Structure formats: structure tokens, C-alpha cells
Amino acid sequence: ILKKYIPQVKLKYESNQNFNKKKWLFPNSNAHISRQTYYNRLKKEARKVDITADKISPHVLRHAFASHMLKNGADLKVLQQLLGHEDISTVEIYTHLNLEDTKKALKKHPLAKIDV
């Protein structure tokens, strides 16, 4: 989807002389879309696919992204950069969540019920 989208963005906005030449993935006419615009678009798209709009937000997506990255072996330093956090301790919260998921999964394992 991005391979199709990015060339369209380049054609539309790089020809505009008033356009800020920074590389925005989701530009508007001058720079990038605002967080409010993104929030509203996300809610609108959620409703289109029968996702309850109050169950999704940019924060929920960000949290899910971080959790899935860690569960699939991403390095904390890489995740810190991707999320734009200055302090690694801000990202470490996801390791605690991941640890809890691991504990729950281990308790469900058939061997967890065997008394040794």
C-alpha cells in the first residue's frame, strides 16, 4: 500500500511551491496532518469496518505496535528510536507487559499442571 501511496504523495505535493520540503508521510497542503486530523480520520475509518470508535485511538495503535514489536524480538533501543522516546525507561514498560503475557502463556502449558 505504501509503495502505491508514496509516489502519489510526491506527485501531489512536490509540485506545490508553497509546500514545506520536509519528508512527511501524511502531508496536508503545508506540512503534515495534525494529530487532531489523524485522530478524526482514524475514528472514521474504524466505524467503516465496524470497530467501535471509542476502542481505538492513536495511543492504542502506538501501544499495540510497541507490544507486537517486542513480542516478535525487537530490540529495546530500536523500539525507543521508532517511538521517539528520549529515555529507555519509557520503553521498558512494554517489557513488563510482555513478561506478564509470557507468565500467562506458561500457566496454560500442559506441563505446568504436572507436580514435580
Side-chain angles (χ1 to χ4, degrees):
I1 292 170
L2 284 175
K3 285 181 181 179
K4 287 182 179 179
Y5 172 78
I6 290 173
Q8 292 172 358
V9 168
K10 284 183 178 181
L11 283 174
K12 185 173 183 181
Y13 293 105
E14 286 185 354
S15 62
N16 180 349
Q17 292 176 344
N18 297 324
F19 182 68
N20 185 335
K21 293 297 180 191
K22 290 185 179 179
K23 303 290 183 187
W24 302 109
L25 183 57
F26 303 109
N28 69 12
S29 58
N30 296 329
H32 60 84
I33 62 172
S34 69
R35 63 183 178 82
Q36 295 89 346
T37 299
Y38 178 73
Y39 177 88
N40 291 328
R41 287 182 185 177
L42 181 63
K43 298 289 184 175
K44 180 181 173 184
E45 294 302 317
R47 285 189 288 275
K48 283 182 185 177
V49 294
D50 293 327
I51 295 174
T52 308
D54 63 345
K55 299 275 187 201
I56 193 162
S57 69
H59 178 75
V60 168
L61 290 180
R62 185 177 169 88
H63 182 76
F65 167 77
S67 296
H68 289 294
M69 290 290 291
L70 274 179
K71 285 180 184 180
N72 288 290
D75 180 74
L76 271 180
K77 284 297 236 180
V78 171
L79 193 56
Q80 177 187 1
Q81 285 184 315
L82 291 172
L83 294 174
H85 291 297
E86 286 187 29
D87 190 349
I88 192 76
S89 65
T90 312
V91 182
E92 287 174 344
I93 187 172
Y94 296 107
T95 61
H96 300 297
L97 296 172
N98 196 24
L99 182 60
E100 289 305 312
D101 288 343
T102 303
K103 286 179 184 176
K104 286 178 190 174
L106 287 173
K107 286 179 183 178
K108 292 179 182 179
H109 192 279
L111 293 177
K113 295 175 177 90
I114 296 175
D115 235 0
V116 181

